[in-house]
Amino acid sequence: MKIDSHQHFWKFDPVRDAWINEPMAAIKRDFYPEDLKPILKKHQIDGCVAVQADQSETETEFLLELAEENEFVKGVVGWVDFMDPHVRERIAHYSEHKKLKGMRHVLQGESDRAYMLNPQFMKGIAALKNYDLAYDILIFPDQLGYTNQFVKNISGVRFVIDHIAKPDIKNQNIEKWANNIRLIAKYDNAWCKISGMVTEADWQNWQQSDFEPYLDVIFEAFGANRVMFGSDWPVCNVAGGYDKMISIVENYVSKLSTEEQARFWGLNAIEFYKLN
């Protein structure tokens, strides 16, 4: 089974979705399961994981509703307020939905770059293990050092780094990012999504060779058993779209063994998110 482990749905709202600026005009509209389904079919992908884009419980409910209505949406990564003293009750509430597989917070957007190390936040994250839920780590490279401490201090939770931590592919800044990624990969409960890379490159002029040094680092650090494919659709539409984005990883993983390719394209996501 092939799984797209990272994509989004939304009903576009210009105020809520103010992060979608003019250069990103290609995604200034609604995106629903009926838009994604033919794309997945074209690439023989059997299912997907819908990930939160807005920080609200309304978003979590919206995604869970879409997942219930669409069998190919195998799982949802939602949002709760981890700073809420009653966060455990909110996690318990949403965990009753069988398609809820994890949670995420937009750490990359926090002015406090070490936000994840707040004791209240960490306490909320630690509660996920009681419900067998995973946590998606959305960060920029300047937060990798804090992420290392974060993962080190919370045991029993499955973590996945989204978008290979968004390195500066456009300017080929790799060394510091690579060193920090290797440190995090030493923890067995840390995984990585090979997703979102095209939006960190030169949107109009990227080439396959731009990504290969970064992919080398990820596969060497995490191994073929802790990496998974994600499209970051529809965000990938600003930098070439699904077909061009997937061709990067198809070309790269073609050199892997049949078993490693099966793990990358689906088995790892199924194992990580406990997909049915």
Side-chain angles (χ1 to χ4, degrees):
M1 187 176 275
K2 288 176 78 173
I3 300 289
D4 180 341
S5 73
H6 197 107
Q7 49 73 217
H8 307 284
F9 298 121
W10 60 67
K11 181 173 177 57
F12 181 71
D13 179 319
V15 176
R16 183 196 66 188
D17 304 323
W19 62 275
I20 302 176
N21 56 24
E22 279 312 310
M24 302 174 87
I27 59 172
K28 276 192 168 189
R29 64 174 184 83
D30 299 351
F31 288 94
Y32 277 93
E34 54 266 33
D35 300 304
L36 179 60
K37 193 173 184 180
I39 299 172
L40 297 184
K41 188 175 180 182
K42 177 181 178 181
H43 293 284
Q44 299 178 304
I45 294 171
D46 304 286
C48 62
V49 177
V51 179
Q52 65 84 221
D54 179 51
Q55 310 220 86
S56 68
E57 289 195 5
T58 303
E59 171 87 338
T60 307
E61 287 153 17
F62 167 71
L63 295 177
L64 286 168
E65 198 173 297
L66 292 179
E68 288 305 316
E69 295 166 357
N70 296 273
E71 196 274 330
F72 75 92
V73 182
K74 303 293 184 187
V76 165
V77 175
W79 181 90
V80 290
D81 181 359
F82 286 103
M83 294 299 225
D84 182 348
H86 304 290
V87 65
R88 189 161 181 164
E89 292 165 29
R90 304 313 298 151
I91 295 169
H93 166 72
Y94 287 115
S95 71
E96 292 174 9
H97 294 263
K98 61 180 175 54
K99 283 197 173 181
L100 184 82
K101 302 300 182 181
M103 293 288 183
R104 186 175 85 154
H105 184 83
V106 183
L107 290 167
Q108 69 173 33
E110 292 291 345
S111 55
D112 175 5
R113 308 311 280 158
Y115 185 93
M116 70 189 81
L117 298 180
N118 181 292
Q120 181 65 41
F121 187 83
M122 291 176 69
K123 189 177 175 183
I125 299 295
L128 293 173
K129 65 187 167 197
N130 300 304
Y131 305 94
D132 205 16
L133 295 172
Y135 183 74
D136 273 54
I137 301 174
L138 177 64
I139 52 167
F140 282 127
D142 69 304
Q143 294 168 293
L144 279 166
Y146 304 124
T147 303
N148 186 41
Q149 295 176 58
F150 178 66
V151 173
K152 181 181 179 180
N153 290 331
I154 302 174
S155 60
V157 176
R158 299 185 308 283
F159 292 108
V160 62
I161 294 177
D162 290 348
H163 315 323
I164 69 171
K166 297 195 164 185
D168 181 11
I169 297 171
K170 183 176 181 179
N171 297 304
Q172 294 291 296
N173 288 328
I174 190 168
E175 197 169 328
K176 190 176 179 183
W177 166 85
N179 291 337
N180 283 317
I181 279 287
R182 291 185 186 109
L183 291 175
I184 294 168
K186 289 179 180 177
Y187 300 103
D188 291 342
N189 60 329
W191 301 51
C192 191
K193 284 185 186 177
I194 292 179
S195 59
M197 300 184 301
V198 290
T199 43
E200 304 314 311
D202 183 337
W203 291 4
Q204 312 304 328
N205 303 299
W206 59 257
Q207 298 175 0
Q208 172 85 25
S209 58
D210 295 340
F211 305 97
E212 292 186 356
Y214 296 88
L215 290 168
D216 286 345
V217 170
I218 295 297
F219 273 93
E220 285 165 15
F222 288 92
N225 292 338
R226 287 188 289 140
V227 291
M228 61 190 87
F229 165 70
S231 65
D232 200 23
W233 178 93
V235 184
C236 64
N237 290 354
V238 305
Y242 208 108
D243 293 357
K244 290 181 179 178
M245 171 278 307
I246 201 171
S247 71
I248 298 165
V249 285
E250 283 175 340
N251 289 333
Y252 187 86
V253 303
S254 63
K255 64 188 179 188
L256 302 180
S257 70
T258 305
E259 182 185 348
E260 287 171 334
Q261 289 187 52
R263 291 202 66 85
F264 170 74
W265 287 114
L267 296 179
N268 289 342
I270 291 166
E271 181 183 327
F272 180 82
Y273 283 121
K274 309 286 181 80
L275 303 180
N276 302 321

